Amino acid sequence: RAIIQPGKRTLTARQLATVLTGMRHLAVATTTARGEPRISAVDGHFLKARWVFTTSGTAVKTAHLRARPAVSVSHIDGDDLGVFAHGQIEFLATDHPDFDWIEQHLVSHYGSSPRSWGPDIVYLRVQPHWMVGYAFRPETLVPD
């Protein structure tokens, strides 16, 4: 907390939405059944204040998240930006009310649907209960 300095080196929700456009690399932390931490990387998209990503339905992280939906994610861009969140994962099926617009965003970004990349692609969204955006110099990322 001493490094983050709320109000001085933090970003507001509006600033985060401005800075986190396009695809961002996320580190996703899950736990095994024995409580051992595991981390992996995914392409993340910050959409309506939530991180969205896709992965294989057969990935180990998917099994972890189905059994234990608590998740931590982070996006770090050098010394300039860090976004850290803790929450619960939400699996987005094709009949989910938000699926279509999320799918449109991803197709627009990648040029194809993630569902075309493999036989069992899952769409996930982080429902955060805590999130912070850190910037050493916020004014260089989001000018007033």
Side-chain angles (χ1 to χ4, degrees):
R1 290 185 183 175
I3 292 170
I4 291 177
Q5 297 181 21
K8 181 177 180 187
R9 292 189 175 156
T10 53
L11 298 172
T12 66
R14 184 178 307 274
Q15 289 171 320
L16 277 175
T18 301
V19 171
L20 296 175
T21 59
M23 187 274 294
R24 298 297 181 124
H25 295 118
L26 291 182
V28 176
T30 63
T31 57
T32 67
R34 292 187 296 202
E36 298 167 333
R38 296 294 182 262
I39 194 161
S40 62
V42 298
D43 290 357
H45 297 262
F46 195 69
L47 305 173
K48 296 187 180 181
R50 306 286 186 268
W51 286 111
V52 173
F53 61 93
T54 64
T55 193
S56 170
T58 61
V60 171
K61 76 174 131 281
T62 303
H64 289 174
L65 292 168
R66 286 191 195 284
R68 293 166 300 283
V71 67
S72 292
V73 300
S74 64
H75 166 67
I76 302 167
D77 187 0
D79 289 334
D80 297 325
L81 175 65
V83 182
F84 309 94
H86 307 300
Q88 297 286 312
I89 207 69
E90 176 184 19
F91 284 82
L92 302 174
T94 56
D95 63 349
H96 189 283
D98 293 335
F99 185 87
D100 288 341
W101 68 263
I102 290 170
E103 171 79 349
Q104 288 174 347
H105 169 85
L106 296 175
V107 168
S108 176
H109 178 80
Y110 293 111
S112 63
S113 170
R115 293 184 294 166
S116 70
W117 302 345
D120 188 19
I121 303 298
V122 293
Y123 289 54
L124 301 109
R125 177 166 56 188
V126 177
Q127 292 293 349
H129 58 77
W130 181 88
M131 183 183 296
V132 66
Y134 165 82
F136 185 72
R137 292 184 191 92
E139 66 281 359
T140 64
L141 294 176
V142 186
D144 288 333

